Amino acid sequence: MEEQDRSQSTPESSLELASAKSYKLVEEPVARCESNIVFGEVKKQLCLSGPLITVNLLQMCLPVISVMFVGHLGELALSGAAMATSFAEVTGFSLLLGMASSLDTLCGQSHGAKQYHLLGIHMQRAMFILLLVSIPLATIWGYTGFILLNIGQDTEIAAQAGLYARWMIPSIFAYGLLQCHVRFLQAQNIVFPMMISSGMTALVHILLCWILVFKSGLGFKGAALANSISYWTNVLLLALYIKFSPACKKTWTGLSKESFHNIFNFIRLAVPSAVMVCLEYWSFEFLVLLSGRLPNPKLETSVLSISLNTATLAFMIPFGLSGAVSTRVSNELGAGRPQTAKIAVRVVLWLAVTVWLVVGTTMILVRNIWGYAYSSEEEVVKYVAVMMPILATSNFLDGIQCVLSGACRGCGWQKIGAFVNLGAYYIAGIPSAIIYAFVLHLGGKGLWMGIVCGLLVQVSLLLTITLRTDWEEEARKARERVFTSTLPVDMAQQS
């Protein structure tokens, strides 16, 4: 009976009623008490972003910890594990992360509109699609060694990487499910349980690596298996929390056939979301490949790897802010509060600049000693010191684009974001890197300066789009997206 009643109502009528009420309720308070709202917004975003930064760091640590354990088994094992991890990131994890990011829009806006049951539906639909996508990705991982060998990698390293990747195959299915659970909880502002589960998983992972690498006889294969076990452990912990926690009582109502409706609507948002993420991830990996073709490739590759690792660590802070603002923007647009969504974007930009002042200043102050954390070679340390001011500049731009990309996900602009990233990195960034590095002979500095050019274009485009946004129109679109999702597929097509 409930499904029949829902199918008889039109999304337009529900949308007009909800939107009219919400706008009348919030327009005057926003104008009258903006300073209080800004202060409250800062507090909300800090409470969200703090745990999210921790979650991102802990999840990022899992493959890093595995490679660290493998490093004690010899140079060949380390090279194979590192290459397999990079290959897995490019061909699997980044794609699934991007597709799952579409839930930032769908779950966040549904929660803001108080259509709580839809969050569980969206998550189930995403889990189903990501599991299907993981099957061909797992097949690609099974041929990692063959692929690496045919693109010119060393025979022994390619063989070791292929073996490591095959033992990592179970992790790709867990990773997709994990990202769905994370987005489901993040949309509800439930972040501390994720922090606890990620912390517990990281501790278990260290113990697993020690047992499987050194005690079980599996050697470096044990490190790959530890990745799989740890990802599945994190999924299980979050699934148990969602099922039994009172906080998710309204949003998780059990398995439903409704999750098989509107699958193509989900795919239309998930594909550009994946493209948006992958284009950015792949551009940085491409820099590492280019560094191998520079004069003195060992030095250039080492320094670029250190730079990439340093940039990734610093990136976790704006990445947490990005998750916070995507949640805040999607929640407020779904609730029909466009002015609050606009304030959320302004607040996160201010926070991103503040963070950069601290992180950028720190990077410049430690530039002469930072290289010793990775190498005792004076040549490497001095080169890293030269790179640090460039890294500080790129991290500033990367932080701004990261939070603006979070606002894009909150609004559902993944397709726009994909085109922006395509132009910024592959029309401006990488060609500039090639010119600086190989034509002007600036080496690794030139490669990173090219990325700075790409980031500058990306920030300019995203900032222009954000400043020209009609937030009332975005709120209308959000409400329409939410209420259309309550209809069966056939009714949605008829209306």
Side-chain angles (χ1 to χ4, degrees):
M1 289 298 294
E2 290 180 4
E3 190 168 344
Q4 290 176 355
D5 292 340
R6 194 166 62 220
S7 65
Q8 290 171 0
S9 63
T10 64
E12 289 81 7
S13 61
S14 300
L15 174 64
E16 290 171 1
L17 179 60
S19 298
K21 289 182 178 179
S22 60
Y23 289 144
K24 289 181 181 178
L25 284 171
V26 300
E27 287 287 352
E28 288 186 3
V30 168
R32 198 168 55 237
C33 307
E34 186 167 338
S35 60
N36 292 336
I37 291 176
V38 168
F39 179 77
E41 186 63 39
V42 171
K43 184 178 179 180
K44 289 176 182 177
Q45 291 198 25
L46 289 177
C47 289
L48 271 172
S49 60
L52 286 176
I53 291 168
T54 305
V55 169
N56 293 329
L57 281 170
L58 290 170
Q59 291 185 3
M60 186 190 74
C61 281
L62 297 186
V64 174
I65 290 170
S66 294
V67 172
M68 289 172 65
F69 272 89
V70 171
H72 294 280
L73 300 178
E75 200 171 301
L76 178 60
L78 176 60
S79 298
M83 185 166 291
T85 301
S86 179
F87 184 85
E89 184 69 38
V90 170
T91 60
F93 292 149
S94 60
L95 179 64
L96 295 178
L97 174 65
M99 294 188 73
S101 295
S102 60
L103 292 179
D104 290 350
T105 304
L106 298 170
C107 287
Q109 292 182 356
S110 297
H111 188 266
K114 299 184 179 180
Q115 300 295 305
Y116 299 122
H117 70 286
L118 283 179
L119 275 77
I121 301 300
H122 288 313
M123 182 175 74
Q124 290 176 56
R125 186 180 296 127
M127 289 166 63
F128 173 69
I129 297 298
L130 264 61
L131 284 175
L132 288 180
V133 171
S134 296
I135 295 173
L137 296 180
T139 304
I140 293 173
W141 284 16
Y143 288 93
T144 297
F146 176 79
I147 294 171
L148 291 174
L149 188 62
N150 279 273
I151 61 175
Q153 295 298 326
D154 179 80
T155 304
E156 289 186 321
I157 294 176
Q160 291 290 297
L163 184 59
Y164 193 89
R166 283 196 293 274
W167 281 78
M168 276 184 64
I169 285 176
S171 68
I172 195 169
F173 296 95
Y175 187 83
L177 298 179
L178 176 62
Q179 294 305 316
C180 292
H181 285 73
V182 167
R183 265 53 191 188
F184 172 82
L185 291 170
Q186 180 181 308
Q188 303 171 67
N189 299 266
I190 302 174
V191 288
F192 284 101
M194 291 193 293
M195 187 173 66
I196 294 170
S197 71
S198 297
M200 292 173 61
T201 301
L203 291 174
V204 170
H205 185 67
I206 295 172
L207 178 62
L208 275 174
C209 284
W210 180 74
I211 293 172
L212 294 176
V213 174
F214 299 124
K215 301 298 180 182
S216 68
L218 289 173
F220 92 123
K221 295 178 291 188
L225 181 60
N227 278 341
S228 301
I229 295 173
S230 295
Y231 278 126
W232 279 107
T233 299
N234 207 347
V235 170
L236 179 62
L237 290 173
L238 291 181
L240 289 173
Y241 175 83
I242 289 170
K243 182 173 178 60
F244 295 108
S245 171
C248 300
K249 185 177 180 180
K250 292 181 179 180
T251 53
W252 178 256
T253 56
L255 299 175
S256 171
K257 292 181 180 179
E258 194 176 348
S259 61
F260 294 102
H261 297 154
N262 290 328
I263 284 180
F264 289 106
N265 287 338
F266 171 79
I267 292 174
R268 279 196 290 268
L269 189 62
V271 169
S273 182
V275 172
M276 179 180 173
V277 171
C278 288
L279 287 175
E280 183 175 353
Y281 271 68
W282 294 346
S283 65
F284 285 92
E285 294 295 335
F286 192 64
L287 286 190
V288 179
L289 294 176
L290 286 175
S291 67
R293 297 185 175 274
L294 292 168
N296 198 354
K298 289 185 179 179
L299 173 63
E300 297 287 3
T301 302
S302 298
V303 171
L304 202 69
S305 297
I306 293 171
S307 300
L308 187 58
N309 184 267
T310 303
T312 301
L313 287 173
F315 182 74
M316 289 299 105
I317 299 176
F319 194 52
L321 290 172
S322 175
V325 75
S326 70
T327 301
R328 292 293 303 129
V329 169
S330 60
N331 284 175
E332 296 303 331
L333 291 179
R337 293 191 287 265
Q339 293 304 316
T340 309
K342 183 178 180 180
I343 289 172
V345 176
R346 290 179 178 177
V347 166
V348 80
L349 284 171
W350 178 82
L351 289 174
V353 171
T354 303
V355 165
W356 173 80
L357 289 174
V358 176
V359 175
T361 302
T362 302
M363 292 176 71
I364 292 173
L365 289 176
V366 303
R367 66 186 184 278
N368 292 318
I369 61 173
W370 184 251
Y372 288 111
Y374 297 89
S375 175
S376 57
E377 297 288 336
E378 285 296 327
E379 188 179 24
V380 173
V381 173
K382 290 179 179 179
Y383 201 162
V384 170
V386 173
M387 290 289 291
M388 290 298 275
I390 303 174
L391 286 179
T393 304
S394 71
N395 278 341
F396 167 66
L397 295 171
D398 212 9
I400 300 298
Q401 74 79 18
C402 186
V403 296
L404 289 174
S405 295
C408 282
R409 295 195 304 273
C411 294
W413 296 340
Q414 281 88 340
K415 187 177 291 185
I416 296 174
F419 281 112
V420 167
N421 287 1
L422 176 64
Y425 290 106
Y426 295 88
I427 296 177
I430 291 177
S432 297
I434 293 172
I435 292 171
Y436 284 132
F438 297 100
V439 178
L440 301 180
H441 305 291
L442 294 178
K445 298 188 296 295
L447 290 178
W448 211 273
M449 287 167 64
I451 285 297
V452 170
C453 292
L455 287 168
L456 189 60
V457 172
Q458 186 184 23
V459 168
S460 300
L461 291 173
L462 290 176
L463 196 57
T464 300
I465 292 167
T466 303
L467 291 174
R468 294 175 62 86
T469 296
D470 183 342
W471 291 99
E472 283 77 12
E473 176 66 13
E474 293 304 320
R476 186 194 66 77
K477 290 179 181 178
R479 304 280 290 182
E480 187 175 36
R481 181 183 289 115
V482 169
F483 286 107
T484 300
S485 299
T486 66
L487 295 173
V489 174
D490 55 346
M491 290 299 295
Q493 291 173 344
Q494 291 172 11
S495 62

